[in-house]
Amino acid sequence: MRALKKFYIEITSVCNLACSFCPETKRQAQFLQPERFSHILDEIKPYTDSIYLHVKGEPLLHPKIDQLLDISQQKGFKVNITSNGTLLHKNRHKLLGKPALRQMNFSLHSFDGHAGSTDKEGYVTGVLAFAKEAAQEHGVLISLRLWNLTEDNATNVQRRRNREVLSILEREFGLDYKIEERFERGKGLKLAERIYLNQDHEFRWPKLTEREYEGKGFCHALRNQAGVLVDGTVVPCCLDGEGVINLGNIHDKPFGEILEGERARRLYDGFSRREVVEELCRKCGYRQRFGTS
Ligand code: SF4
Ligand code: SF4
């Protein structure tokens, strides 16, 4: 039996922001109903007990997020939520104190990514107030993400933009050093007990319109991760936000059968031989991170 360390469940395809680096979904706007959520958990239970509520969309827009957390708890799942952090004031009572909630990731780069953003100070301090309460009083792990570095992080605009946020973090956590001095790409910087800062390059979604990378490659998809979009489409990874690699619908077919289905097997066996079978994978920069040979 395969162990999927990460299983992504998209509970809504709708977002309240429109980040420049996040292609808008062409799929129908939908919210996952609790019964269907419950069914997904039953299907994936033999493979994992850790779920990540995000592919596209903003999970805190889901009006029944508290109910989804309760169902997760009943069924023995730990929940990780990735959010842009703009809707915490409306949702804090639905999140805090829920025993299933293990980790929250806040995409702070969404502030600059969304053209209509206003009041950066208010936004960041609002996220931090929630983060501190969640971490200190409820044992929730917090990852503050700033994924907006350029390849060499050299442009002044980029540095200045990040400096504003970093200054707020230094002040709010009483740090006696400049964050840049301790920065190591890909490694979280501990700001306080259970609160980390993660900085990385801007994220690029794989697209069929991109050019293909050449050569062999490998990806952990279907080995230690998989996902399901809000309409039930099973995808191999959290990067297939449009369901291009549609492996089947979890509401029509048992998940175990989908994993053993022809398309899933071809992708999996292909990567075992370092062959990149799917077109989307050949256009995915993420695959490159695992190295080609
Ligand atoms: S990156 Fe996140 S916050 Fe920004 S539009 Fe996409 S889903 Fe919404
Ligand atoms: S190579 Fe990219 S698109 Fe293909 S399964 Fe892996 S992460 Fe997903």
Side-chain angles (χ1 to χ4, degrees):
M1 182 75 69
R2 259 177 262 179
L4 299 171
K5 271 195 257 159
K6 290 191 174 182
F7 195 94
Y8 296 88
I9 302 180
E10 185 186 61
I11 59 171
T12 178
S13 51
V14 183
C15 187
N16 60 328
L17 302 185
C19 296
S20 54
F21 46 80
C22 182
E24 204 183 335
T25 179
K26 306 271 182 307
R27 294 174 293 124
Q28 201 193 341
Q30 252 180 294
F31 291 88
L32 185 60
Q33 291 310 307
E35 309 74 57
R36 281 168 74 97
F37 179 74
S38 195
H39 172 72
I40 293 170
L41 296 192
D42 290 339
E43 285 294 314
I44 63 172
K45 185 71 189 164
Y47 304 90
T48 188
D49 54 11
S50 206
I51 54 174
Y52 292 73
L53 302 188
H54 190 55
V55 178
K56 284 285 182 75
E58 168 52 46
L60 299 191
L61 276 177
H62 198 294
K64 295 179 181 166
I65 183 80
D66 46 351
Q67 226 176 302
L68 303 187
L69 285 165
D70 290 339
I71 295 170
S72 304
Q73 171 67 8
Q74 286 154 17
K75 294 186 184 287
F77 283 85
K78 287 288 174 209
V79 181
N80 305 270
I81 296 179
T82 299
S83 164
N84 59 38
T86 57
L87 302 167
L88 287 168
H89 52 291
K90 289 188 195 149
N91 284 286
R92 55 188 304 288
H93 64 288
K94 294 185 179 179
L95 300 167
L96 294 175
K98 293 290 186 196
L101 186 59
R102 175 183 171 271
Q103 176 162 349
M104 289 202 72
N105 306 315
F106 292 111
S107 308
L108 299 183
H109 45 273
S110 63
F111 186 93
D112 289 322
H114 176 70
S117 297
T118 53
D119 187 16
K120 190 183 265 188
E121 168 86 25
Y123 164 66
V124 178
T125 52
V127 171
L128 295 187
F130 176 90
K132 286 179 181 176
E133 188 177 348
Q136 286 163 10
E137 288 170 37
H138 303 278
V140 179
L141 274 167
I142 302 288
S143 167
L144 304 168
R145 292 177 170 177
L146 213 43
W147 288 0
N148 58 4
L149 305 178
T150 45
E151 284 299 318
D152 52 3
N153 197 28
T155 71
N156 283 332
V157 178
Q158 200 73 25
R159 282 214 198 121
R160 263 204 310 275
R161 273 201 327 201
N162 278 354
R163 183 89 283 279
E164 275 180 76
V165 175
L166 299 183
S167 301
I168 301 172
L169 295 178
E170 286 159 7
R171 188 190 71 211
E172 292 291 316
F173 289 101
L175 306 182
D176 58 2
Y177 57 87
K178 289 247 182 290
I179 287 174
E180 290 91 336
E181 291 165 13
R182 305 269 172 106
F183 168 64
E184 269 183 75
R185 203 189 141 221
K187 209 165 164 229
L189 178 70
K190 187 171 179 179
L191 300 173
E193 213 45 58
R194 285 187 284 276
I195 304 181
Y196 294 84
L197 171 68
N198 286 283
Q199 298 189 80
D200 214 322
H201 296 160
E202 189 170 286
F203 182 78
R204 282 183 68 184
W205 292 88
K207 277 194 284 198
L208 288 177
T209 46
E210 297 272 317
R211 67 173 179 82
E212 290 198 4
Y213 293 97
E214 289 187 7
K216 297 191 166 238
F218 180 75
C219 168
H220 289 280
L222 297 182
R223 278 180 165 72
N224 67 12
Q225 66 157 297
V228 60
L229 302 179
V230 68
D231 67 353
T233 302
V234 174
V235 286
C237 63
C238 63
L239 287 122
D240 186 8
E242 290 304 291
V244 173
I245 309 174
N246 179 346
L247 301 175
N249 194 299
I250 202 163
H251 301 296
D252 299 338
K253 230 189 218 184
F255 181 61
E257 263 180 49
I258 292 175
L259 276 185
E260 293 306 320
E262 198 197 324
R263 196 167 186 182
R265 282 244 63 99
R266 285 185 68 238
L267 181 143
Y268 185 95
D269 293 341
F271 280 131
S272 301
R273 300 187 302 268
R274 304 296 184 261
E275 267 170 38
V276 189
V277 171
E278 289 284 343
E279 184 184 354
L280 188 70
C281 300
R282 291 197 293 273
K283 296 176 173 176
C284 172
Y286 192 59
R287 172 176 74 78
Q288 299 290 99
R289 292 193 191 178
F290 299 111
T292 52
S293 52

